[in-house]
């Protein structure tokens, strides 16, 4: 997969969490992913379709990390992944994709964004519904990991 597609999503994730949640993540090594099993506890998934590109992106968080992000972003403490946490994950997914959409539009790739879907639970599935390679990028934080998955038909 082309770094031109991947980098706007990485930048979007880091920017959204640093500015909105005062949370800094350290990127790990990207690799191909062949299954649909999520590595964390709660995921936001969003589809993108345009005249010259079709893809999807998901962001998955470990429970400890997303609860800290909830506290930092909204000033509300939660002891578990509940409906409010799920709503926030959907918003984070939307913001990351929106940042990437803006950056990719500058490179000539236009697409519309679907409404994010949020799934949670141990070993939940993320189905990208796109016929293309999947890349997973781990991000580290002292309270847990986040995993960015990107899948494009390019």
């Amino acid at each position: 997969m082309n770094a031109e597609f991947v980098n706007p999503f990485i930048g979007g994730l880091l920017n959204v969490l640093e500015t909105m949640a005062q949370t800094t993540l350290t990127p790990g090594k990207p690799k191909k992913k062949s299954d649909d099993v999520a590595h964390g506890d709660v995921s936001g998934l969003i589809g993108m379709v345009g005249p010259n590109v079709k893809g999807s992106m998901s962001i998955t968080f470990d429970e400890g990390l997303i609860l800290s992000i909830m506290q930092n972003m909204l000033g509300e403490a939660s002891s578990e992944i509940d409906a409010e946490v799920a709503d926030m994950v959907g918003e984070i997914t939307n913001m990351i994709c929106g940042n990437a959409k803006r950056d990719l539009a500058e490179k000539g790739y236009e697409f519309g964004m679907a409404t994010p879907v949020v799934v949670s639970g141990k070993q939940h599935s993320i189905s990208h519904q796109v016929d293309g390679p999947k890349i997973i990028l781990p991000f580290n934080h002292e309270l847990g990991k986040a995993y960015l998955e990107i899948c494009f038909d390019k």
Side-chain angles (χ1 to χ4, degrees):
M1 185 177 300
N2 190 331
E4 182 176 41
F5 278 88
V6 176
N7 289 338
F9 293 95
I10 294 171
L13 170 62
L14 297 175
N15 179 44
V16 166
L17 291 185
E18 285 175 10
T19 58
M20 302 296 290
Q22 300 75 50
T23 301
T24 302
L25 300 178
T26 305
K29 186 175 175 167
K31 58 185 174 187
K32 282 190 173 181
K33 187 176 182 215
S34 57
D35 64 14
D36 289 341
V37 178
H39 289 265
D41 300 310
V42 60
S43 300
L45 172 67
I46 191 166
M48 300 160 274
V49 178
N52 56 357
V53 66
K54 179 180 177 188
S56 62
M57 178 217 84
S58 70
I59 181 67
T60 303
F61 297 96
D62 285 346
E63 184 175 41
L65 178 56
I66 197 62
L67 295 180
S68 171
I69 291 169
M70 175 87 167
Q71 176 71 45
N72 290 352
M73 270 183 85
L74 303 177
E76 297 176 18
S78 186
S79 60
E80 63 183 7
I81 296 170
D82 57 16
E84 286 187 47
V85 173
D87 285 349
M88 185 191 64
V89 169
E91 284 302 315
I92 290 170
T93 305
N94 225 7
M95 288 187 275
I96 294 167
C97 194
N99 275 334
K101 178 181 176 174
R102 180 194 64 231
D103 292 350
L104 287 169
E106 292 172 5
K107 295 176 166 107
Y109 297 103
E110 298 284 340
F111 58 83
M113 296 170 20
T115 302
V117 175
V118 178
V119 185
S120 64
K122 300 286 183 200
Q123 302 285 302
H124 64 272
S125 292
I126 302 170
S127 181
H128 284 275
Q129 305 288 313
V130 177
D131 206 16
K134 279 187 284 197
I135 301 290
I136 184 167
L137 301 105
F139 292 83
N140 300 303
H141 186 273
E142 63 189 19
L143 297 174
K145 289 184 178 271
Y147 301 90
L148 183 66
E149 292 183 25
I150 302 167
C151 183
F152 276 101
D153 65 356
K154 284 258 170 218

